[in-house]
Amino acid sequence: MSLTPRLSGKLAARAHHSPVAASFLHRIAPFFATDQVVGGPLLIATIVALICTNSPLAHGYEALWNNVLEIRLGTFRAAHPLADWVDEALLPLFFLIIGAEVKREFTKGSLSTIRTATFPLAGAIGGILMPVAVYLAFNHGTDTASGWGTVITSDTAFALAIIGMFATRLPASLRAVLLAFAAIDDVGGLLVIATAYTEAIDIRMVITAVLAYAAIFALLRLRLVSPIPYVLLGLIVWAATYASGIHATIAGVMLGLLSPTRSRLSEDRFADRVQEPIDRFKRAVAAARTKDGAEPGDDEGAPTASAQKQLGYIEEMAQATDEPAERLVQTLNPWVSYVVLPLFALSAVRIHFSAELLSDAAGSLLGMGVFAGLALGKPLGFLLATWLAVTTGAAQRPDGVTWRMVLGVGALSGIGFTISLFIANLAFPDTQRTEMASLAILGASVVSAVIGYVILRSAAAEDAPS
């Protein structure tokens, strides 16, 4: 017998019984869960991208993502590098999830009242205005002032993963606050892309996207059950948004906000509807067994056509009890966490580390503006705006959320990665400035993540029952 299985079995058993290993696995589990968007695969992909970009593989690696993929459909032609297709075709799925989750929180979750919903809204507004002001304080009047958009948005995946580390010790409403803040924050960033970093917008395509969106809304009001029209119209919304010149991720958010949060069939109505089909199913199975001479306990043999029909009806009714928004999120979560976000990191993170780049970024107004805008401006704007909203009575902190937790969320808002890197590529056409901004984004994200973790760990310990 090979020693390898024995050795791996012993190591697995030792790891299973080791308190240190168990504690480590427990802490990293939120970064690799499948029931929500997580940051573990994104972090690994980021490290791989940085290694490839700073190794002998750099030329071939970057050439891979610069390869042009062309799609033709009649007179329609779209040709873009692979990296751009990841941004435009895959990244909207991530924002589709964000939109759907926020819709659930606003309609039936911890943000379902006007004052609790105003809380993350105020934080998002402050979290947009303050970092821009901080960035421009460094870069106003310079040729890098146009890069103010790089400090607007936060990265939701990493922030959710860090909060997930304290899932059992922090209130669920805190995650809802982060989700709502991130969604509004991202929409703000996408609108900035559309208005400040898009050269031309095709109004005809915008109208097409709006009409398709309105058609989805109308079908939802008519309670159409079949998913096919929704999928086709959703693709039209995405394609028209993309063709209009507006970043397609905004289509993902808007479609997510349309996802229904009520099931088509309540549990009581489900029980009433399936009772008779269950009885008919039992009679059909019993009749088939009697005909074949099988024993009552014998499970062999395929169900009859009649029994199969009843099973199909019962399954359809069971699916009708699911919330479309919840099902959508559960279906997409693993794909987004393990495919979409890692592909984005692999295609977007292209920082060539060098002593010269580190020196330039640390000593430049661009680098200092980006770092300070994210690591200082975002949390300060979020905290100040939410405090003012609560003090004036316009907003209310959700149940169980303390100001220390709010400070922790504010710190995590300084993790600017996904959209920040994308805007950096739009704002700075030259590679040197793009890399300087990307390095500052990466540094601010690491600092913000560490500070946010420390604050939330303290808040969780304070909130824990004695």
Side-chain angles (χ1 to χ4, degrees), residues 406-426:
V406 174
L407 179 60
V409 171
L412 294 181
S413 71
I415 305 176
F417 197 79
T418 312
I419 299 299
S420 293
L421 290 175
F422 178 75
I423 294 179
N425 282 276
L426 297 177

